[in-house]
C-alpha cells in the first residue's frame, strides 16, 4: 500500500488497540461519535459505509476524525486523531484492501468478490483511518462517561403497560 502508517505518528497502545478492534467510535468534526464495525489492517482501521452497510455521517468526505477504542474490559482505553483516506474503487489500495475487509464482513451473503462488486455498484465508501497525532490515554481521558441523551429516531415508539391475564395477589 502506498499510504503506509508513519511509526512516529502512532504509539504502542494505539497499535495494540487497533489490532484488537472490531468496533470503533468515530467522530467527525463536531458531530457525535458513532459506533462502527471496522477491520484492522496494517496498523490502521478500515470502515465500510453506504447503502446496505452502516451509516457513518461525514466520514467518507472527511480529512480527519477522532477514534475511540475499548480495551479487553470493555471500557474506553484510548482516543486518537485519525487521518481519513477514502479508497477509490479500482485503485491498487482498493484492490488490495477491499477483499480483505469483505472477507471479515459478518453475515455477508455470497462470495467476497460479489460483496466487493456490490460495494462498487452501490457507491459504498471504504475508508482508512490512520493514527495521526498524540492520543488521549490513561490520565488524559476524561473521568466522566461522556454519555449523551439518545438522538431521536423515527423508529422509536411509546411503550405500553404489559398485558396481564390475571391479577397478582400479594400475601
Amino acid at each position: 500500500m502506498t499510504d503506509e502508517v508513519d511509526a512516529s505518528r502512532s504509539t504502542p497502545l494505539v497499535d495494540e488497540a487497533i489490532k484488537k478492534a472490531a468496533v470503533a467510535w468515530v467522530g467527525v468534526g463536531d458531530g457525535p461519535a458513532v459506533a462502527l464495525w471496522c477491520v484492522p489492517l496494517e496498523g490502521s482501521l478500515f470502515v465500510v459505509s453506504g447503502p446496505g452497510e452502516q451509516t457513518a455521517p461525514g466520514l467518507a468526505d472527511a480529512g480527519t476524525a477522532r477514534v475511540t477504542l475499548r480495551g479487553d474490559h470493555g471500557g474506553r482505553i484510548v482516543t486518537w486523531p485519525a487521518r481519513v483516506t477514502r479508497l477509490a474503487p479500482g485503485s491498487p489500495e482498493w484492490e488490495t484492501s477491499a477483499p480483505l475487509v469483505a472477507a471479515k464482513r459478518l453475515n455477508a451473503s455470497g462470495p467476497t468478490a460479489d460483496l466487493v462488486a456490490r460495494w462498487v455498484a452501490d457507491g459504498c465508501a471504504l475508508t482508512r483511518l490512520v493514527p495521526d497525532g498524540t492520543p488521549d490515554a490513561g490520565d488524559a481521558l476524561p473521568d466522566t462517561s461522556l454519555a449523551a441523551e439518545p438522538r431521536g429516531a423515527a423508529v422509536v415508539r411509546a411503550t405500553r403497560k404489559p398485558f396481564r391475564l390475571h391479577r397478582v395477589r400479594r400475601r
Side-chain angles (χ1 to χ4, degrees):
M1 296 187 136
T2 60
D3 191 19
E4 292 299 319
V5 176
D6 182 2
S8 66
R9 297 291 204 158
S10 189
T11 66
L13 175 63
V14 171
D15 292 341
E16 193 62 29
I18 286 173
K19 288 178 191 174
K20 295 181 178 185
V23 174
W25 284 260
V26 180
V28 177
D30 293 335
V34 293
L36 299 173
W37 166 80
C38 60
V39 174
L41 285 173
E42 299 178 4
S44 56
L45 294 177
F46 287 83
V47 175
V48 178
S49 59
E53 297 295 331
Q54 60 196 345
T55 303
L59 183 62
D61 300 321
T64 60
R66 296 222 21 104
V67 179
T68 300
L69 298 175
R70 65 187 178 107
D72 295 335
H73 56 76
R76 174 181 58 222
I77 60 166
V78 65
T79 298
W80 45 275
R83 185 176 65 245
V84 179
T85 306
R86 182 174 180 172
L87 304 183
S91 68
E93 293 85 7
W94 175 278
E95 297 299 326
T96 303
S97 303
L100 296 173
V101 173
K104 299 282 185 173
R105 173 71 164 81
L106 294 176
N107 303 323
S109 60
T112 300
D114 291 350
L115 182 58
V116 172
R118 184 179 63 78
W119 289 347
V120 173
D122 291 348
C124 290
L126 176 60
T127 53
R128 183 178 191 198
L129 305 172
V130 180
D132 190 35
T134 305
D136 297 336
D139 293 339
L141 290 174
D143 291 335
T144 59
S145 72
L146 302 180
E149 287 291 318
R151 294 183 294 276
V155 297
V156 176
R157 295 185 282 183
T159 57
R160 298 183 342 207
K161 276 181 121 178
F163 175 75
R164 291 192 200 175
L165 291 175
H166 62 281
R167 186 175 180 173
V168 178
R169 294 185 191 174
R170 296 185 185 195
R171 294 182 184 191

